[in-house]
Amino acid sequence: MIPVKSAREIAVMRDACRIAANVLERLCRIVAPGVNTYDLDQEGRRLIESYGGNSACYDYRSGNKRFPAFTCLSVNEEIVHGIGDLRRILREGDIITVDVCVLYEGYIGDNARTVAVGAVDESVQRLLDATRGALGKAIDQARAGNRVGYISNAVEKAVAPHGFGIVRDFVGHGVGRTMHEEPQIPNFGPRKRGDRLRPNMTLAIEPMITLGSPRVEMAADGWTALTRDRSPSAHFEHTVLVTPGDPEILTVADPG
Ligand code: MF3
Ligand code: CO
């Protein structure tokens, strides 16, 4: 069963998501050559706490592991769940995915964006544009009456003409009281798959797209997922509210 939120829950989700979006926006503005990813993560912690929230990533458990950082920072061939590191200094031409997941008053807002560090290769810029575009197309399918598969299929269709890889090992997800609720939202597959969406469901939609092969390898740290062929990977994510009408993106930063 996909959870349907009450009006009160949605009000809190709006706050959690606004915080997550504000933090993401501010972190992305700090990204520049010479910045190391540990400092970026620490700034993420400070910002989240300055808004009265907590990181939903820090101490997140998977099996007997606990995630040791406050945000997920994934550079170049890293796909998701990268850990900030003092020795990882961003250089011109890199890309970095900043993923901010905030817990606020019992509810979670989740969003991510891949940004360029200075000027990047044309092919990498196309990867970023295609992934952002695929997220937009996917969000547009988050409509009452559509199946989850409409979202999945929209990503696959948007990416196909570019020939980029679609990561299959990680999926989007329902989000609310916990980071990962039903449903799972793959970034590929037929429209007929999955349950039908209803108003007041909240979904984290997140295509992860690679320039080369989408095959995944795990780093020795037990968390960081990277491409086996070391090709760059992009990832854009929003938390979205299904409404009786158009989908509403909840992870929108305040102006300024
Ligand atoms: N946005 C990420 C996700 O949906 C947040 C992961 S936090 C971590 O998986 F602790 F798992 F790294
Ligand atoms: Co997510």
Side-chain angles (χ1 to χ4, degrees), residues 35-51:
V35 170
N36 77 67
T37 59
Y38 177 84
D39 288 345
L40 203 52
D41 185 59
Q42 288 297 309
E43 186 59 19
R45 176 190 193 164
R46 274 193 291 278
L47 284 167
I48 292 169
E49 291 175 359
S50 77
Y51 287 105

Side-chain angles (χ1 to χ4, degrees), residues 111-185:
N111 67 167
R113 185 189 307 163
T114 305
V115 293
V117 184
V120 297
D121 281 356
E122 221 177 282
S123 60
V124 172
Q125 189 58 54
R126 278 200 298 273
L127 174 70
L128 302 187
D129 295 343
T131 309
R132 192 191 309 100
L135 174 58
K137 297 282 192 196
I139 289 171
D140 194 49
Q141 295 300 321
R143 293 174 182 277
N146 285 359
R147 292 187 186 277
V148 173
Y150 281 57
I151 297 172
S152 307
N153 190 253
V155 175
E156 186 170 347
K157 279 223 172 69
V159 172
H162 299 281
F164 297 142
I166 297 177
V167 173
R168 301 173 96 85
D169 302 47
F170 298 93
V171 295
H173 49 92
V175 58
R177 237 179 209 300
T178 60
M179 186 156 59
H180 299 129
E181 298 182 350
E182 280 190 66
Q184 298 204 103
I185 311 175

Side-chain angles (χ1 to χ4, degrees), residues 56-58 60 67 72 81 99-101 110-111 171 173 179-180 206 223 235 237:
C57 290
Y58 183 72
Y60 177 84
F67 192 73
C72 297
H81 305 161
D99 191 337
V100 175
C101 200
D110 191 3
N111 67 167
V171 295
H173 49 92
M179 186 156 59
H180 299 129
E206 48 179 324
W223 284 102
H235 174 204
E237 175 180 36

